[in-house]
Structure formats: structure tokens, C-alpha cells
Amino acid sequence: MGGMALGGLAATAGMPFWSKLALAQGEEIVPFTDVPETFAAPPVVPGGILFQDTRNIDSFYTPVGEFYIVQHYDQPEIDAESYRLQISGLVNRPMELTLAELQSRPKVEIDAGFECGGNRAAIFHGLIGNARWGGISLRELLLEAGIQDAGLEVVFYGADAGTESIRDQRVEQNFGRSMHRDDALLPEMMLAWEMNGEPLNLYHGAPLRLIAPGWYGISNVKWLTQIHVQDRRYMGRFMARDYVTLARRDIGGVERWEERSVTRMRLKSSIVRVTHNADGHEIMGFVLNDGTPLSSVEVRIDDGAWQPAAIDPESTQYSWKLFRYAWQDAQPGEHTIVSRVTDANGQVQATADQMPEKPTRWENYAQFPRTVMIG
Ligand SMILES: Nc1nc2c(c(=O)[nH]1)N[C@H]1C(S)=C(S)[C@@H](COP(=O)(O)O)O[C@H]1N2
Ligand SMILES: [Mo]
């Protein structure tokens, strides 16, 4: 599975690992007692936000119609025929490319899962999805354009715009995000026009978006129309003011309030569903992180010991990793269940108590205890 170290994880033989995910006959979902009975994911509506009902996750690739949707301005409808991607700034060969010209370059495909940096417990972490993206290498395009040595920052602008205020000045501004050139030149960064084998739809950024594998959703600029290379930091709202995590951290031995742009995903797992059939109970969940190999995912029931869960072997470096755990001899009554993931660097998913003091809503990666009722 994509070079991941998975020491200690149970292997499964026979049936494809996730063939059990879709409910088999006689299998039922065990109700979480922490989910209100009225809780339901909203329908897809133009301009709206969509989150997944994570209890329904039953496939490695999230169906396009269930993949969460977030944007901060409108959803611009771009005519694919007249579409141009502009590459400007500190490049030797500025370019304006049609979709056909982009698509004539060597195609790359990558599995990438991501979550909104504002994902949260109140919606059971439903701002997540995992898809197979098809497009071209950003690195190859930047090299073709001749990115100059002085070009330290690569800015990605979307076609969507809104009014922004800075002090008392109000201006019309496009959505924008940026990356240091070293990040933009990473081989996994891509410009995608395809999602799960289908042309990108309006909601997910048609005709072209940035896919930054291992980064929070915010970095994956939809409706991409311009890539601009400059010699200094880009200070737009979504880099410098919004999606900025304020957290109390040790900065070289001094405790300070650090303000950091939301970029790479932090190590996180969560249980999303419990099922029951003739063989017993099964707990499942997902892991998202920055692509660092994992060493284990574990599940704990009530005050029991941490038990290893099995990771879907379909997982790849930047995909989400679904996991499952066979819960033997579940006793009737209410139980608290929680998961934690450990990466190959020995980093362990934090408990809520171990999280830094973090008054902003971004980056909710703490262990997430759930409660279920066994009948
Ligand atoms: N152009 C543009 N791209 C954007 C946004 C946006 O508002 N405008 N929102 C970002 C945020 S906050 C998230 S979480 C992801 C969501 O991508 P999705 O809707 O395809 O799931 O898109 C990102 N890309
Ligand atoms: Mo987001």
C-alpha cells in the first residue's frame, strides 16, 4: 500500500477489504447516541455548503455527489470553450492556455483525500472526501513556464470574487491562495480537470482546480484562472487573515500566540460508523494526514486497552485511510469508543486535553470519542 509502514496491523484475507462496507443483508447500522435523531446531511444546492453524513461512508472513493462542498464567494460558471489559464509574473515564458492545450500534456492521476480546515465535531467531521483526481503536474507546467529563481511565492487565483474590507477600504477581490515555490514544485501538486474519472463539475471547481495532496481543503483552489509567481508573500484574506490558526505554542523556548496559515493536514482519525451482523460488531473510521506514513490506527472501547485496527490496503500516500476493527463480544448498553492514529515519526494523535490552546476554529484534529448503544 504505497510504501506505508503498517507494522502491527491485522491483515485480512479472502474478500476485498471493503466489500463489507456496503451493508450486507442482515447487517445494520448501530446508532450513535451522540448523533441527534433529526441529524441529516443537507442536499446539494447551488451556492450551498454540503457535508457528508459520515455514517454512510461505504467506499474508498467518495461518490462525486456526496463529496463535501465549501466555497466562500459564489460558484462561477466558466465556459470551457473560452476558458484560459494565465501564468504570469516571474516566469520566462508567460502563458495563456486553453483547456485543450492543458489536456494535451501528459496526464497524471492521484488519489487525494482532504478535509476543510474548519471541519468540526458538531457535524461529525462531515467536511471530508476522497477522490481520484486527473490532470497535469503543476511542477512540469511551472518548469515549462520557466519559473525564475526570484519567484519565491506562487499564487493561485480563482474566478470567484467577493467584497473584502481592510480597515475601512472595501474592494472586490478574487479568491486566492499561495504556496512557497518549494511546495508548488513538489511532484504531487497537480492541476485537475477530472474527479473520479468524470469532468470536474461546477461545485468542485470546473473546469480546473489545484489539488494539493496532504493539505487542508482551503489550498485546493477551485475555478482556477491564474497562477502568478512573485518575489514575496501573498497577503490575501485566505492566506493571511482568514484560515489562520491562532494557537499558543512553544516558539524556540518562548511561549507565544502563533498565527499560522492553514496548510498541511494534521494527523487525525475519527470513528464514523458501527455496524452489526451475525458475526458481531464492526467499527470503522478514517484517517487523514499530510502523507507521512502511518504506523498504527487503534481503537479503544470504554476504559479498555488500545486495540489495533486494520487499514484499507487500497490506501495510497495521500488518500484517506479507512480503517475497521472487529468488535468482539460487545455487551448491551452504551459504550464510548475512540480511535487514535500514530505516524511513522512516532507522532500520536492528540487527545482534546493535549491540544494546544487554540481559540480559532481551524484544525480540529483531536481524538473524537463517540457513544453507541448496543441493543
Ligand atoms: N476558488 C475557490 N476555491 C476554493 C474555495 C473558495 O471559496 N474559492 N474554498 C476552499 C475551501 S475552504 C475548501 S474546504 C475546498 C473545498 O473543496 P470542495 O468543495 O471541492 O470539497 O475548496 C477550497 N477552494
Ligand atoms: Mo475549507
Side-chain angles (χ1 to χ4, degrees):
M1 59 184 288
M4 282 209 297
L6 289 170
L9 291 181
T12 35
M15 270 195 307
F17 192 82
W18 293 104
S19 65
K20 282 189 68 189
L21 275 183
L23 284 183
Q25 195 155 20
E27 190 163 33
E28 53 193 34
I29 291 194
V30 178
F32 284 113
T33 50
D34 57 2
V35 182
E37 258 172 51
T38 52
F39 180 82
V44 178
V45 289
I49 302 281
L50 178 77
F51 61 82
Q52 282 201 64
D53 184 334
T54 51
R55 294 171 296 186
N56 297 334
I57 292 175
D58 66 358
S59 58
F60 176 64
Y61 294 117
T62 308
V64 170
E66 286 165 38
F67 199 104
Y68 85 94
I69 301 168
V70 168
Q71 57 281 311
H72 298 275
Y73 302 134
D74 55 346
Q75 294 170 328
E77 281 185 50
I78 299 175
D79 170 42
E81 288 301 311
S82 54
Y83 173 80
R84 298 285 184 278
L85 175 68
Q86 190 188 340
I87 303 177
S88 55
L90 298 174
V91 292
N92 294 331
R93 286 172 293 281
M95 299 198 227
E96 264 200 23
L97 299 164
T98 65
L99 201 53
E101 285 167 339
L102 289 161
Q103 291 173 341
S104 70
R105 289 166 169 74
K107 187 175 174 188
V108 296
E109 289 187 80
I110 193 166
D111 295 336
F114 54 81
E115 68 169 338
C116 177
N119 208 4
R120 53 196 178 272
I123 53 167
F124 308 99
H125 298 291
L127 295 171
I128 54 170
N130 185 65
R132 185 165 189 84
W133 307 94
I136 57 169
S137 157
L138 173 64
R139 176 185 169 85
E140 293 305 317
L141 196 62
L142 288 173
L143 294 178
E144 190 185 327
I147 182 170
Q148 296 171 3
D149 290 347
L152 292 180
E153 183 95 337
V154 182
V155 190
F156 303 88
Y157 289 102
D160 50 330
T163 305
E164 295 298 341
S165 322
I166 298 187
R167 294 281 178 122
D168 54 355
Q169 303 299 319
R170 288 165 73 77
V171 290
E172 176 91 344
Q173 181 67 289
N174 282 88
F175 182 89
R177 280 279 302 189
S178 69
M179 278 180 188
H180 187 274
R181 67 175 285 135
D182 291 353
D183 291 327
L185 289 171
L186 289 171
E188 63 270 21
M189 296 294 169
M190 70 179 289
L191 304 179
W193 59 77
E194 218 177 70
M195 180 179 188
N196 293 346
E198 299 167 25
L200 213 54
N201 70 21
L202 168 69
Y203 305 121
H204 296 289
L208 193 76
R209 78 180 302 175
L210 176 66
I211 290 292
W215 294 46
Y216 281 105
I218 184 73
S219 316
N220 298 267
V221 179
K222 303 195 275 189
W223 311 293
L224 180 69
T225 55
Q226 187 180 7
I227 299 176
H228 185 76
V229 182
Q230 59 190 45
D231 67 356
R232 65 202 59 205
R233 249 189 98 190
Y234 164 77
M235 299 287 288
R237 169 180 160 192
F238 295 98
M239 280 306 287
R241 302 192 297 287
D242 204 348
Y243 281 82
V244 171
T245 301
L246 176 64
R248 204 158 171 83
R249 294 185 204 280
D250 180 317
I251 304 290
V254 185
E255 221 182 67
R256 296 185 187 279
W257 285 106
E258 184 196 46
E259 294 155 88
R260 194 193 290 191
S261 187
V262 170
T263 55
R264 287 183 167 81
M265 285 189 284
R266 294 183 183 273
L267 185 63
K268 168 172 179 170
S269 74
S270 174
I271 290 171
V272 294
R273 126 184 186 144
V274 179
T275 54
H276 175 246
N277 68 10
D279 299 336
H281 291 82
E282 185 166 84
I283 294 172
M284 70 153 287
F286 71 87
V287 173
L288 282 170
N289 78 337
D290 61 3
T292 303
L294 307 182
S295 65
S296 69
V297 182
E298 297 161 296
V299 167
R300 192 174 67 185
I301 294 153
D302 300 321
D303 297 323
W306 288 102
Q307 302 286 343
I311 297 183
D312 179 0
E314 241 183 306
S315 309
T316 52
Q317 185 176 9
Y318 297 107
S319 75
W320 67 9
K321 281 97 189 151
L322 300 179
F323 66 85
R324 66 185 206 194
Y325 172 76
W327 183 2
Q328 310 292 349
D329 305 323
Q331 298 302 306
E334 192 175 46
H335 297 277
T336 301
I337 58 179
V338 66
S339 66
R340 76 171 180 196
V341 53
T342 302
D343 73 16
N345 298 330
Q347 189 185 178
V348 184
Q349 183 183 2
T351 62
D353 289 347
Q354 292 163 344
M355 291 285 282
E357 195 181 337
K358 191 174 70 60
T360 40
R361 57 187 289 209
W362 316 114
E363 305 184 26
N364 297 308
Y365 56 93
Q367 291 177 26
F368 184 44
R370 311 291 311 265
T371 52
V372 283
M373 182 64 78
I374 302 297

